[in-house]
Amino acid sequence: MKEQQHAVTKDGEVKTDKVEQTIDRIGDDKKDQILQDFEAFKQYLHKRIKIGESIGLGEEQLAKVAERVADYLAANEDPRNSEEKLLQELWKVGDKEQRHQLAHMLVRLSQNA
């Protein structure tokens, strides 16, 4: 897969406008597997965060990507468990700054998964 198709390049450049395209390339079966169980979701995020950290992304850059992922999930995916439902409801009622802070918390939560 070509690098220009990824949201994060090898040199650590974050292209948040590519997050939705990247998620859309995940097959439905894989997406269901990731989202079915909250622990599996955290583990998936943990692996992606570790990759981001290994190429030099800081927490702020990771949080910006997490925001785009959360925007996508809130708009396109139904929650599959109570934890995801809570996150979706918090996302809906939060303003831009609150969503950004929630994205930071999700990064931290997933770093410790």
Side-chain angles (χ1 to χ4, degrees):
M1 186 174 301
K2 296 179 182 176
E3 184 175 347
Q4 63 263 30
Q5 295 175 331
H6 292 283
V8 179
T9 64
K10 290 185 287 191
D11 62 358
E13 181 185 354
V14 178
K15 298 178 180 179
T16 57
D17 60 323
K18 300 237 185 246
V19 169
E20 291 85 2
Q21 294 169 342
T22 302
I23 295 171
D24 282 339
R25 285 195 304 271
I26 298 173
D28 288 338
D29 289 343
K30 179 68 173 174
K31 205 180 292 184
D32 284 340
Q33 182 183 13
I34 295 165
L35 296 174
Q36 194 64 39
D37 176 69
F38 191 65
E39 289 303 316
F41 176 65
K42 286 191 326 184
Q43 285 297 318
Y44 180 82
L45 292 178
H46 176 79
K47 289 176 187 175
R48 297 310 175 269
I49 287 168
K50 290 297 177 196
I51 291 169
E53 290 173 336
S54 74
I55 61 169
L57 297 184
E59 185 176 327
E60 185 62 29
Q61 291 170 304
L62 293 168
K64 286 179 181 179
V65 174
E67 276 185 84
R68 292 300 293 256
V69 170
D71 281 340
Y72 177 92
L73 292 174
N76 297 294
E77 297 291 335
D78 291 327
R80 290 168 174 84
N81 53 60
S82 59
E83 295 91 347
E84 289 174 8
K85 179 68 175 164
L86 175 60
L87 287 172
Q88 183 185 59
E89 292 299 317
L90 290 171
W91 200 256
K92 286 180 182 178
V93 300
D95 61 25
K96 184 176 172 79
E97 181 59 30
Q98 290 166 326
R99 288 177 177 182
H100 185 69
Q101 291 304 316
L102 184 54
H104 273 278
M105 290 188 292
L106 286 169
V107 168
R108 290 180 192 154
L109 177 70
S110 298
Q111 283 173 322
N112 298 323

